Amino acid sequence: MTRASLVFAALLALLFPLSLLAGRVWIAPADFGPGNTLLILGELRLPRAVLAVVIGGGLGAAGAAMQGYLRNPLADPGLFGIAPMAALGAVASFWLTPLLPPAWAAWSLPVLALAGAGLGMAALALIAGRTASDAAGGAGDGIALFTLAGLMLASLAGALTALAITLAPNPFALSEIVMWLNGALTDRSWREVWIAAPLTLAGVGVLALAARSLDALTLGEEAARSLGVEPRRLLVLLVAGVGLTVGAGVAVAGIIGFVGLVVPHLVRPLTDRLPSSLILPSALAGASLVLAADSIVRVLPLVTELRLGIALSLIGAPFFGWLLLRMRKGAL
Amino acid sequence: MTLVADNLTLGRGGRSVVNGLSATLAPGQITAIVGPNGAGKSSLLLGLAGLLEPACGSVTLDGESLAQLHPRTRAQTIGYLPQSPDIAWDVAVEPLVALGRLPWRDKGTAAIEAAMAALDLQDLRKRPVSRLSGGERARVLLARVLAGCPRWILADEPLAALDLAHQLALVAHLKDCAAAGQGVVVVLHDLAVAMNHADHVLVLKDGHLAAEGPPRHALQPEIIAQVWGVTAQWMGAPGRQGLVFGT
């Protein structure tokens, strides 16, 4: 385990028990025992903390991989079509759920969000895959076209989501959609953990398979191909890995932005800066960040709980501005 | 392990950039590819590296088509050095050189150390690339290729942006590689370097092979006039010749 992984694993190990204690009702370790405390811990806080770790870990790993693939420290995995398509699928569920039998209705949101993510992955792989030729003339444009295809998908999904909001069947549905899009872990249970955890683990595993190819991209596309990297294989691994991690996160928690952007920057100074050495520590750091942010939103003295997605955007947007300033000074 | 281009035609961006070129390149030699801007030199190098699919014809390595080789096998055999690659992350010298071992999927510590020793980089191993001079950076990038222990080294204008001393040092390293039996193919703009240091020269014009052979034949003043449209004469003793322009 590298130094960066050890640092963020230790941080996560410290934050996890603290997050179980934090909330509107603080639980002291001395209060542990049968009754309500155990119920709160086992059925509310533990699944919520595990889900924060799962989603944050997935977003952190996806961010590290996406920045490595695009060779750009300002890349966020949420920007390239998959997260907006997953959100579109989830929003569609608010329309379709009333039409479904009650037994299916409970599953419609995560299933449709995952279907949206899958559709986004397929579209991105199809469009960008045509350009990620292994040796055809014009090779070298693959990453630029991946970016454009991702932005096109994100724009289309955003427009359709806005349309769905505009045509919301009733004010309650409108409120539900808007609240859900802001991202949160409130009231999540073990069911959401069982949906997101296997997909996220699979996604991080797929990204780990792409890690050394991402290292080769440090030298540019041509040099990477000369080192044996197969652009189509790398694209498929990246789209699958990011799709599984980001799609799973959106399916159970809504849109949680900026984690994939911010986390690799926190990790990079502790590593040799190659993408392969970022993926695992970024997963641990992403888990720590989301866990810490979710614990903080729970204890803030507000009338209603601040949505996690909003809190992370409030942290992430100024951080993004700071990155831009550093980039202008040539420090990135 | 001979590298052969047979009736090779390469296209980029929908237009043909190398047309029906045939050449046989031998290991243990430095082969220079020269020609005016837009002659197809870099495209030919990409084609010889198996990184640009032929529109027509083939490139073979010991009789086996490069297109049929697994990308990893090809990468283990042919090391390609692009012209001044943009390095995405501020990596230190040692992990950057170690990228040369990617096709082998091993740590290759001995090969990495040997490559860094050959290019005198041991003292710079921890230094980030952003803090290297142009000459140091060129050495690091060549060391990255050497760390892969390829049978062939294909380098696109490796001397560009280097001062005279660093050019000579880098040429000396490439000659050492050729002397050790590796095939070396370099795209060059400096005809004097090709004349004095190459064993074999390919002269390209408009994607066609205008001349080929030992430098004293391929770079005769008549050919320079025909290809570059410049009147020039070679002056000096063999191995130390310079080009003097005008009659």
PDB file of all heavy atoms in Angstrom, chain B residues 113-140:
ATOM      1  N   GLU B 113      17.566   1.235 -14.652  1.00  0.00           N
ATOM      2  CA  GLU B 113      18.853   1.758 -14.151  1.00  0.00           C
ATOM      3  C   GLU B 113      19.857   1.884 -15.288  1.00  0.00           C
ATOM      4  O   GLU B 113      20.585   2.875 -15.371  1.00  0.00           O
ATOM      5  CB  GLU B 113      19.410   0.840 -13.053  1.00  0.00           C
ATOM      6  CG  GLU B 113      18.683   0.954 -11.731  1.00  0.00           C
ATOM      7  CD  GLU B 113      18.706   2.365 -11.147  1.00  0.00           C
ATOM      8  OE1 GLU B 113      19.752   3.035 -11.229  1.00  0.00           O
ATOM      9  OE2 GLU B 113      17.661   2.810 -10.639  1.00  0.00           O
ATOM     10  N   ALA B 114      19.879   0.879 -16.173  1.00  0.00           N
ATOM     11  CA  ALA B 114      20.824   0.918 -17.291  1.00  0.00           C
ATOM     12  C   ALA B 114      20.519   2.087 -18.214  1.00  0.00           C
ATOM     13  O   ALA B 114      21.432   2.790 -18.677  1.00  0.00           O
ATOM     14  CB  ALA B 114      20.768  -0.408 -18.059  1.00  0.00           C
ATOM     15  N   ALA B 115      19.226   2.305 -18.477  1.00  0.00           N
ATOM     16  CA  ALA B 115      18.842   3.410 -19.366  1.00  0.00           C
ATOM     17  C   ALA B 115      19.204   4.751 -18.729  1.00  0.00           C
ATOM     18  O   ALA B 115      19.711   5.652 -19.414  1.00  0.00           O
ATOM     19  CB  ALA B 115      17.336   3.343 -19.649  1.00  0.00           C
ATOM     20  N   MET B 116      18.988   4.865 -17.422  1.00  0.00           N
ATOM     21  CA  MET B 116      19.310   6.141 -16.764  1.00  0.00           C
ATOM     22  C   MET B 116      20.827   6.342 -16.703  1.00  0.00           C
ATOM     23  O   MET B 116      21.319   7.454 -16.858  1.00  0.00           O
ATOM     24  CB  MET B 116      18.689   6.191 -15.361  1.00  0.00           C
ATOM     25  CG  MET B 116      17.169   6.282 -15.414  1.00  0.00           C
ATOM     26  SD  MET B 116      16.439   7.146 -14.019  1.00  0.00           S
ATOM     27  CE  MET B 116      16.908   6.072 -12.715  1.00  0.00           C
ATOM     28  N   ALA B 117      21.545   5.234 -16.522  1.00  0.00           N
ATOM     29  CA  ALA B 117      23.009   5.336 -16.494  1.00  0.00           C
ATOM     30  C   ALA B 117      23.540   5.727 -17.870  1.00  0.00           C
ATOM     31  O   ALA B 117      24.426   6.584 -17.983  1.00  0.00           O
ATOM     32  CB  ALA B 117      23.622   4.011 -16.037  1.00  0.00           C
ATOM     33  N   ALA B 118      22.962   5.134 -18.921  1.00  0.00           N
ATOM     34  CA  ALA B 118      23.436   5.426 -20.283  1.00  0.00           C
ATOM     35  C   ALA B 118      23.267   6.900 -20.613  1.00  0.00           C
ATOM     36  O   ALA B 118      24.056   7.469 -21.372  1.00  0.00           O
ATOM     37  CB  ALA B 118      22.671   4.571 -21.289  1.00  0.00           C
ATOM     38  N   LEU B 119      22.244   7.511 -20.048  1.00  0.00           N
ATOM     39  CA  LEU B 119      21.988   8.919 -20.369  1.00  0.00           C
ATOM     40  C   LEU B 119      22.314   9.841 -19.195  1.00  0.00           C
ATOM     41  O   LEU B 119      21.887  10.992 -19.178  1.00  0.00           O
ATOM     42  CB  LEU B 119      20.545   9.087 -20.833  1.00  0.00           C
ATOM     43  CG  LEU B 119      20.347   8.424 -22.209  1.00  0.00           C
ATOM     44  CD1 LEU B 119      18.927   8.023 -22.443  1.00  0.00           C
ATOM     45  CD2 LEU B 119      20.835   9.319 -23.316  1.00  0.00           C
ATOM     46  N   ASP B 120      23.073   9.285 -18.232  1.00  0.00           N
ATOM     47  CA  ASP B 120      23.591  10.095 -17.136  1.00  0.00           C
ATOM     48  C   ASP B 120      22.475  10.820 -16.373  1.00  0.00           C
ATOM     49  O   ASP B 120      22.515  12.031 -16.152  1.00  0.00           O
ATOM     50  CB  ASP B 120      24.602  11.113 -17.717  1.00  0.00           C
ATOM     51  CG  ASP B 120      25.484  11.688 -16.622  1.00  0.00           C
ATOM     52  OD1 ASP B 120      25.554  11.065 -15.543  1.00  0.00           O
ATOM     53  OD2 ASP B 120      26.071  12.764 -16.839  1.00  0.00           O
ATOM     54  N   LEU B 121      21.480  10.047 -15.973  1.00  0.00           N
ATOM     55  CA  LEU B 121      20.311  10.647 -15.319  1.00  0.00           C
ATOM     56  C   LEU B 121      20.174  10.256 -13.842  1.00  0.00           C
ATOM     57  O   LEU B 121      19.204  10.655 -13.199  1.00  0.00           O
ATOM     58  CB  LEU B 121      19.031  10.214 -16.058  1.00  0.00           C
ATOM     59  CG  LEU B 121      18.857  10.727 -17.480  1.00  0.00           C
ATOM     60  CD1 LEU B 121      17.696  10.019 -18.157  1.00  0.00           C
ATOM     61  CD2 LEU B 121      18.628  12.226 -17.493  1.00  0.00           C
ATOM     62  N   GLN B 122      21.154   9.518 -13.327  1.00  0.00           N
ATOM     63  CA  GLN B 122      20.965   9.013 -11.956  1.00  0.00           C
ATOM     64  C   GLN B 122      20.767  10.122 -10.934  1.00  0.00           C
ATOM     65  O   GLN B 122      19.953   9.996 -10.025  1.00  0.00           O
ATOM     66  CB  GLN B 122      22.150   8.145 -11.512  1.00  0.00           C
ATOM     67  CG  GLN B 122      22.257   6.837 -12.245  1.00  0.00           C
ATOM     68  CD  GLN B 122      23.389   6.872 -13.237  1.00  0.00           C
ATOM     69  OE1 GLN B 122      23.619   7.887 -13.897  1.00  0.00           O
ATOM     70  NE2 GLN B 122      24.109   5.764 -13.351  1.00  0.00           N
ATOM     71  N   ASP B 123      21.484  11.228 -11.129  1.00  0.00           N
ATOM     72  CA  ASP B 123      21.372  12.314 -10.144  1.00  0.00           C
ATOM     73  C   ASP B 123      20.058  13.081 -10.276  1.00  0.00           C
ATOM     74  O   ASP B 123      19.713  13.876  -9.407  1.00  0.00           O
ATOM     75  CB  ASP B 123      22.548  13.293 -10.315  1.00  0.00           C
ATOM     76  CG  ASP B 123      23.868  12.633  -9.946  1.00  0.00           C
ATOM     77  OD1 ASP B 123      23.825  11.604  -9.238  1.00  0.00           O
ATOM     78  OD2 ASP B 123      24.922  13.134 -10.374  1.00  0.00           O
ATOM     79  N   LEU B 124      19.354  12.857 -11.384  1.00  0.00           N
ATOM     80  CA  LEU B 124      18.102  13.605 -11.609  1.00  0.00           C
ATOM     81  C   LEU B 124      16.875  12.756 -11.311  1.00  0.00           C
ATOM     82  O   LEU B 124      15.757  13.190 -11.543  1.00  0.00           O
ATOM     83  CB  LEU B 124      18.019  14.064 -13.076  1.00  0.00           C
ATOM     84  CG  LEU B 124      19.134  14.972 -13.592  1.00  0.00           C
ATOM     85  CD1 LEU B 124      18.921  15.267 -15.071  1.00  0.00           C
ATOM     86  CD2 LEU B 124      19.155  16.274 -12.812  1.00  0.00           C
ATOM     87  N   ARG B 125      17.053  11.555 -10.778  1.00  0.00           N
ATOM     88  CA  ARG B 125      15.949  10.586 -10.726  1.00  0.00           C
ATOM     89  C   ARG B 125      14.715  11.112  -9.999  1.00  0.00           C
ATOM     90  O   ARG B 125      13.595  10.752 -10.336  1.00  0.00           O
ATOM     91  CB  ARG B 125      16.417   9.254 -10.146  1.00  0.00           C
ATOM     92  CG  ARG B 125      16.820   9.296  -8.704  1.00  0.00           C
ATOM     93  CD  ARG B 125      17.147   7.890  -8.197  1.00  0.00           C
ATOM     94  NE  ARG B 125      18.352   7.326  -8.792  1.00  0.00           N
ATOM     95  CZ  ARG B 125      18.388   6.148  -9.404  1.00  0.00           C
ATOM     96  NH1 ARG B 125      17.299   5.419  -9.499  1.00  0.00           N
ATOM     97  NH2 ARG B 125      19.514   5.688  -9.898  1.00  0.00           N
ATOM     98  N   LYS B 126      14.905  11.970  -9.005  1.00  0.00           N
ATOM     99  CA  LYS B 126      13.744  12.451  -8.231  1.00  0.00           C
ATOM    100  C   LYS B 126      13.221  13.793  -8.740  1.00  0.00           C
ATOM    101  O   LYS B 126      12.258  14.330  -8.198  1.00  0.00           O
ATOM    102  CB  LYS B 126      14.136  12.607  -6.755  1.00  0.00           C
ATOM    103  CG  LYS B 126      14.632  11.325  -6.120  1.00  0.00           C
ATOM    104  CD  LYS B 126      13.649  10.771  -5.134  1.00  0.00           C
ATOM    105  CE  LYS B 126      14.163   9.530  -4.438  1.00  0.00           C
ATOM    106  NZ  LYS B 126      13.607   8.319  -5.011  1.00  0.00           N
ATOM    107  N   ARG B 127      13.882  14.355  -9.738  1.00  0.00           N
ATOM    108  CA  ARG B 127      13.515  15.710 -10.160  1.00  0.00           C
ATOM    109  C   ARG B 127      12.273  15.677 -11.074  1.00  0.00           C
ATOM    110  O   ARG B 127      12.206  14.897 -12.019  1.00  0.00           O
ATOM    111  CB  ARG B 127      14.679  16.356 -10.918  1.00  0.00           C
ATOM    112  CG  ARG B 127      14.415  17.825 -11.205  1.00  0.00           C
ATOM    113  CD  ARG B 127      15.593  18.510 -11.819  1.00  0.00           C
ATOM    114  NE  ARG B 127      16.740  18.596 -10.908  1.00  0.00           N
ATOM    115  CZ  ARG B 127      17.887  19.164 -11.227  1.00  0.00           C
ATOM    116  NH1 ARG B 127      18.058  19.699 -12.425  1.00  0.00           N
ATOM    117  NH2 ARG B 127      18.877  19.198 -10.362  1.00  0.00           N
ATOM    118  N   PRO B 128      11.278  16.539 -10.814  1.00  0.00           N
ATOM    119  CA  PRO B 128      10.097  16.573 -11.695  1.00  0.00           C
ATOM    120  C   PRO B 128      10.449  17.108 -13.078  1.00  0.00           C
ATOM    121  O   PRO B 128      11.366  17.928 -13.200  1.00  0.00           O
ATOM    122  CB  PRO B 128       9.141  17.536 -10.980  1.00  0.00           C
ATOM    123  CG  PRO B 128       9.740  17.864  -9.676  1.00  0.00           C
ATOM    124  CD  PRO B 128      11.192  17.478  -9.696  1.00  0.00           C
ATOM    125  N   VAL B 129       9.721  16.685 -14.071  1.00  0.00           N
ATOM    126  CA  VAL B 129      10.057  17.091 -15.446  1.00  0.00           C
ATOM    127  C   VAL B 129       9.940  18.597 -15.639  1.00  0.00           C
ATOM    128  O   VAL B 129      10.622  19.169 -16.490  1.00  0.00           O
ATOM    129  CB  VAL B 129       9.179  16.371 -16.501  1.00  0.00           C
ATOM    130  CG1 VAL B 129       9.593  14.959 -16.678  1.00  0.00           C
ATOM    131  CG2 VAL B 129       7.715  16.472 -16.183  1.00  0.00           C
ATOM    132  N   SER B 130       9.094  19.257 -14.848  1.00  0.00           N
ATOM    133  CA  SER B 130       8.942  20.710 -15.010  1.00  0.00           C
ATOM    134  C   SER B 130      10.227  21.447 -14.631  1.00  0.00           C
ATOM    135  O   SER B 130      10.401  22.606 -14.991  1.00  0.00           O
ATOM    136  CB  SER B 130       7.790  21.220 -14.136  1.00  0.00           C
ATOM    137  OG  SER B 130       8.084  20.984 -12.775  1.00  0.00           O
ATOM    138  N   ARG B 131      11.115  20.770 -13.907  1.00  0.00           N
ATOM    139  CA  ARG B 131      12.354  21.431 -13.480  1.00  0.00           C
ATOM    140  C   ARG B 131      13.559  20.928 -14.265  1.00  0.00           C
ATOM    141  O   ARG B 131      14.700  21.074 -13.827  1.00  0.00           O
ATOM    142  CB  ARG B 131      12.548  21.240 -11.970  1.00  0.00           C
ATOM    143  CG  ARG B 131      11.557  22.084 -11.154  1.00  0.00           C
ATOM    144  CD  ARG B 131      11.633  21.795  -9.675  1.00  0.00           C
ATOM    145  NE  ARG B 131      13.005  21.770  -9.180  1.00  0.00           N
ATOM    146  CZ  ARG B 131      13.428  20.991  -8.183  1.00  0.00           C
ATOM    147  NH1 ARG B 131      12.579  20.183  -7.594  1.00  0.00           N
ATOM    148  NH2 ARG B 131      14.668  21.027  -7.791  1.00  0.00           N
ATOM    149  N   LEU B 132      13.314  20.348 -15.439  1.00  0.00           N
ATOM    150  CA  LEU B 132      14.412  19.886 -16.285  1.00  0.00           C
ATOM    151  C   LEU B 132      14.660  20.895 -17.399  1.00  0.00           C
ATOM    152  O   LEU B 132      13.725  21.550 -17.870  1.00  0.00           O
ATOM    153  CB  LEU B 132      14.067  18.534 -16.922  1.00  0.00           C
ATOM    154  CG  LEU B 132      13.854  17.342 -15.987  1.00  0.00           C
ATOM    155  CD1 LEU B 132      13.422  16.120 -16.809  1.00  0.00           C
ATOM    156  CD2 LEU B 132      15.125  17.021 -15.199  1.00  0.00           C
ATOM    157  N   SER B 133      15.919  20.985 -17.834  1.00  0.00           N
ATOM    158  CA  SER B 133      16.213  21.803 -19.018  1.00  0.00           C
ATOM    159  C   SER B 133      15.781  21.025 -20.259  1.00  0.00           C
ATOM    160  O   SER B 133      15.469  19.825 -20.175  1.00  0.00           O
ATOM    161  CB  SER B 133      17.711  22.090 -19.071  1.00  0.00           C
ATOM    162  OG  SER B 133      18.398  20.882 -19.357  1.00  0.00           O
ATOM    163  N   GLY B 134      15.798  21.687 -21.408  1.00  0.00           N
ATOM    164  CA  GLY B 134      15.408  21.024 -22.657  1.00  0.00           C
ATOM    165  C   GLY B 134      16.269  19.805 -22.945  1.00  0.00           C
ATOM    166  O   GLY B 134      15.772  18.756 -23.358  1.00  0.00           O
ATOM    167  N   GLY B 135      17.577  19.939 -22.693  1.00  0.00           N
ATOM    168  CA  GLY B 135      18.490  18.829 -22.950  1.00  0.00           C
ATOM    169  C   GLY B 135      18.252  17.661 -22.005  1.00  0.00           C
ATOM    170  O   GLY B 135      18.247  16.497 -22.418  1.00  0.00           O
ATOM    171  N   GLU B 136      18.020  17.982 -20.745  1.00  0.00           N
ATOM    172  CA  GLU B 136      17.756  16.918 -19.759  1.00  0.00           C
ATOM    173  C   GLU B 136      16.457  16.189 -20.105  1.00  0.00           C
ATOM    174  O   GLU B 136      16.365  14.961 -20.020  1.00  0.00           O
ATOM    175  CB  GLU B 136      17.658  17.526 -18.353  1.00  0.00           C
ATOM    176  CG  GLU B 136      18.998  18.004 -17.806  1.00  0.00           C
ATOM    177  CD  GLU B 136      18.864  18.898 -16.583  1.00  0.00           C
ATOM    178  OE1 GLU B 136      17.744  19.425 -16.339  1.00  0.00           O
ATOM    179  OE2 GLU B 136      19.871  19.114 -15.905  1.00  0.00           O
ATOM    180  N   ARG B 137      15.469  16.972 -20.497  1.00  0.00           N
ATOM    181  CA  ARG B 137      14.163  16.392 -20.845  1.00  0.00           C
ATOM    182  C   ARG B 137      14.302  15.441 -22.044  1.00  0.00           C
ATOM    183  O   ARG B 137      13.742  14.339 -22.045  1.00  0.00           O
ATOM    184  CB  ARG B 137      13.217  17.548 -21.174  1.00  0.00           C
ATOM    185  CG  ARG B 137      11.794  17.193 -21.412  1.00  0.00           C
ATOM    186  CD  ARG B 137      11.072  18.497 -21.776  1.00  0.00           C
ATOM    187  NE  ARG B 137       9.945  18.222 -22.629  1.00  0.00           N
ATOM    188  CZ  ARG B 137       8.691  18.220 -22.206  1.00  0.00           C
ATOM    189  NH1 ARG B 137       8.417  18.492 -20.959  1.00  0.00           N
ATOM    190  NH2 ARG B 137       7.721  17.950 -23.029  1.00  0.00           N
ATOM    191  N   ALA B 138      15.096  15.870 -23.050  1.00  0.00           N
ATOM    192  CA  ALA B 138      15.297  15.007 -24.224  1.00  0.00           C
ATOM    193  C   ALA B 138      15.986  13.706 -23.824  1.00  0.00           C
ATOM    194  O   ALA B 138      15.640  12.624 -24.324  1.00  0.00           O
ATOM    195  CB  ALA B 138      16.117  15.755 -25.276  1.00  0.00           C
ATOM    196  N   ARG B 139      16.926  13.809 -22.903  1.00  0.00           N
ATOM    197  CA  ARG B 139      17.624  12.594 -22.443  1.00  0.00           C
ATOM    198  C   ARG B 139      16.661  11.671 -21.701  1.00  0.00           C
ATOM    199  O   ARG B 139      16.705  10.441 -21.856  1.00  0.00           O
ATOM    200  CB  ARG B 139      18.798  12.977 -21.534  1.00  0.00           C
ATOM    201  CG  ARG B 139      20.053  13.345 -22.323  1.00  0.00           C
ATOM    202  CD  ARG B 139      20.971  14.260 -21.541  1.00  0.00           C
ATOM    203  NE  ARG B 139      21.319  13.759 -20.222  1.00  0.00           N
ATOM    204  CZ  ARG B 139      21.710  14.533 -19.205  1.00  0.00           C
ATOM    205  NH1 ARG B 139      21.795  15.839 -19.362  1.00  0.00           N
ATOM    206  NH2 ARG B 139      22.025  14.003 -18.052  1.00  0.00           N
ATOM    207  N   VAL B 140      15.816  12.267 -20.885  1.00  0.00           N
ATOM    208  CA  VAL B 140      14.851  11.461 -20.115  1.00  0.00           C
ATOM    209  C   VAL B 140      13.912  10.721 -21.069  1.00  0.00           C
ATOM    210  O   VAL B 140      13.628   9.524 -20.889  1.00  0.00           O
ATOM    211  CB  VAL B 140      14.040  12.370 -19.158  1.00  0.00           C
ATOM    212  CG1 VAL B 140      12.861  11.612 -18.563  1.00  0.00           C
ATOM    213  CG2 VAL B 140      14.938  12.908 -18.057  1.00  0.00           C
TER     214      VAL B 140
END
